[in-house]
Amino acid sequence: MKRSVFFISDATGITAEALGKSLLSQFESIEFERITLPYIDTVQKAQQAVERIKKQAEWDGERPIVIDTILNQEVREVISTSGAYMADVFGAFLRPLEVELNKKSSYTVGKAHSIVNDRHYMDRIAAVHFALDNDDGARTTHYENADIILLGVSRCGKTPTCLYLGLQYGICAANYPLTEEDTEELRLPRELVPYRDKLFGLTIDPERLQAIRHERRANSKYSSPRQCEMEVRGVEALYNKENIPWLDSTHHSIEEMAARIMAEANITTHVKKHLSV
């Protein structure tokens, strides 16, 4: 079974996408074709969107689903003529909140992703720079400024997780690659010893790791099943010996990994001094 879903917004569409994808993930037996239409902020653009929705309905033989965060009522009324099933994200929650808070919403487009708190925005930018500057053990001289240091074998997901922690939460995350030499004696690299309380390990299924490495460097020792198995078992043994908390990244998205790491490491978002690294 296949259904088309339009995420429509008079701003970026990020909110509609995020909530919509979360809702759709609960329907695993249905294949969804996702189409995002951002900045539908005029009647003319809305009319063009309606034409596209109607054409999609003809192709599919099913009415599309529209998940929208449109605040302009005139624009939304045009979209409603498309014949699609309409799910109004803001309408479902803003009006009841207005009643509860006894106050009218500002109905401002793009409010969720504007730079309302400039300090928090700058913290996130600084954290992304920190992740890039302290990626893959390139340097360890700024680890005292890290909120967390991710460990793991090459290609287990350390870098994208660090970048997401920085961009989404303003968390300063460094990462250090553990090699075969590091795990032979089941001993932490000396660079990491002073920061034991900041360490968090990642692991991955050896077969999945082999597939990822094969795409990067096919038919090499680096991507061989034996090498992948040995490295993964080595880091897991090191985590257990040194009592380092760790997470298997095989079946988790970057978003879920970041949330789990923050919860297990007891990290909360907070306003920090700006870093110069």
Side-chain angles (χ1 to χ4, degrees):
M1 186 177 181
K2 182 178 179 180
R3 294 290 293 271
S4 294
V5 182
F6 286 83
F7 303 121
I8 304 180
S9 174
D10 38 19
T12 63
I14 294 173
T15 301
E17 278 187 341
L19 181 57
K21 288 178 180 178
S22 180
L23 293 172
L24 297 177
S25 69
Q26 303 300 313
F27 301 91
E28 298 176 356
S29 62
I30 301 176
E31 179 185 355
F32 294 103
E33 180 176 352
R34 300 177 175 91
I35 304 123
T36 302
L37 302 180
Y39 297 108
I40 306 299
D41 52 7
T42 67
V43 168
Q44 183 181 6
K45 290 180 181 179
Q47 291 168 341
Q48 293 171 349
V50 167
E51 290 305 310
R52 183 167 180 184
I53 294 168
K54 287 182 176 179
K55 286 181 181 178
Q56 192 69 43
E58 292 176 6
W59 293 334
D60 294 348
E62 293 273 5
R63 68 171 177 167
I65 297 167
V66 169
I67 297 176
D68 77 88
T69 53
I70 297 171
L71 289 172
N72 185 311
Q73 192 58 34
E74 187 179 9
V75 170
R76 193 165 194 281
E77 286 176 1
V78 173
I79 297 295
S80 68
T81 66
S82 65
Y85 172 79
M86 300 282 291
D88 176 6
V89 174
F90 283 159
F93 300 105
L94 274 183
R95 294 183 187 95
L97 275 173
E98 287 177 336
V99 173
E100 175 63 25
L101 299 173
N102 194 29
K103 190 175 184 64
K104 292 290 289 183
S105 163
S106 65
Y107 287 90
T108 304
V109 175
K111 197 77 169 179
H113 303 286
S114 62
I115 307 176
V116 177
N117 184 338
D118 187 66
R119 183 60 182 270
H120 179 59
Y121 179 78
M122 294 306 296
D123 281 340
R124 291 193 294 132
I125 296 302
V128 169
H129 283 301
F130 183 89
L132 291 170
D133 289 339
N134 295 274
D135 181 46
D136 221 22
R139 60 178 180 174
T140 60
T141 53
H142 293 108
Y143 278 8
E144 68 273 12
N145 292 322
D147 293 311
I148 194 163
I149 303 167
L150 298 187
L151 310 178
V153 300
S154 172
R155 314 308 293 180
C156 71
K158 301 185 301 301
T159 296
T161 304
C162 285
L163 289 171
Y164 184 83
L165 283 166
L167 182 61
Q168 185 70 14
Y169 299 110
I171 299 300
C172 290
N175 77 79
Y176 189 98
L178 294 172
T179 65
E180 180 182 347
E181 290 74 22
D182 293 325
T183 58
E184 280 181 345
E185 296 183 4
L186 290 183
R187 185 178 301 171
L188 278 177
R190 66 180 182 211
E191 297 92 341
L192 300 177
V193 173
Y195 310 105
R196 293 182 59 92
D197 59 334
K198 297 183 179 184
L199 303 181
F200 196 99
L202 295 182
T203 188
I204 188 172
D205 179 77
E207 290 186 9
R208 175 61 180 154
L209 179 63
Q210 192 271 329
I212 294 171
R213 287 183 173 184
H214 182 78
E215 292 182 4
R216 184 177 178 86
R217 201 181 303 168
N219 303 318
S220 64
K221 178 184 177 183
Y222 173 76
S223 62
S224 70
R226 182 178 180 278
Q227 183 69 23
C228 293
E229 177 79 26
M230 181 171 58
E231 289 186 33
V232 168
R233 298 311 168 215
V235 297
E236 290 179 0
L238 178 61
Y239 298 155
N240 290 332
K241 178 179 180 293
E242 296 291 339
N243 199 28
I244 296 170
W246 54 282
L247 174 67
D248 189 334
S249 67
T250 309
H251 302 295
H252 296 306
S253 66
I254 297 300
E255 296 90 342
E256 187 176 7
M257 285 167 57
R260 284 175 174 266
I261 289 168
M262 289 177 63
E264 293 187 27
N266 197 28
I267 297 175
T268 57
T269 56
H270 52 279
V271 177
K272 305 182 290 296
K273 65 181 184 297
H274 295 299
L275 302 175
S276 177
V277 295

